[in-house]
Amino acid sequence: MNLTSYLALAAILFCIGLYGVITKRNAVMVLFSIELMLNAVNINLVAFAKYGMVPNISGQVFTLFTIAIAAAEAAVGIAILLALYRNKGTAEADKYNSMKG
């Protein structure tokens, strides 16, 4: 596989994630779509680290950081969604337009 294959795969994943963020109403699906977009970024980081002008390990290091950030984002996002679901009784993102009870 060459760099173009990795970039094409990452572009497809990013577009699917972007479509999910824009069109989905369910907040859990929006979080999953954001995770897809972050995975596309990780593929780009690793591909450019391997096939870049100066191949080195910095892409893998940045990928580990983004994986840790994505895990923290998922944990905090699910906790916020659970609290909102308990308060509002729905998981639809367009129903969360105010913070008052």
Side-chain angles (χ1 to χ4, degrees):
M1 288 182 66
N2 55 6
L3 180 62
T4 309
S5 302
Y6 287 110
L7 295 179
L9 175 65
I12 291 169
L13 279 178
F14 193 85
C15 289
I16 292 170
L18 185 63
Y19 175 78
V21 167
I22 292 172
T23 61
K24 298 299 179 190
R25 299 178 107 182
N26 191 337
V28 176
M29 293 304 293
V30 171
L31 283 176
F32 286 155
S33 298
I34 292 171
E35 292 293 326
L36 269 177
M37 292 168 68
L38 287 173
N39 284 332
V41 171
N42 287 339
I43 290 172
N44 279 336
L45 287 171
V46 171
F48 280 119
K50 182 176 180 184
Y51 295 108
M53 295 291 244
V54 181
N56 55 16
I57 198 162
S58 64
Q60 284 86 354
V61 172
F62 284 125
T63 300
L64 287 176
F65 283 125
T66 57
I67 289 172
I69 290 169
E73 174 261 332
V76 171
I78 294 295
I80 290 171
L81 286 176
L82 282 174
L84 286 171
Y85 182 78
R86 287 181 187 157
N87 192 16
K88 300 279 186 183
T90 183
E92 300 297 320
D94 56 350
K95 304 290 186 207
Y96 303 139
N97 59 1
S98 68
M99 294 302 287
K100 50 184 173 171

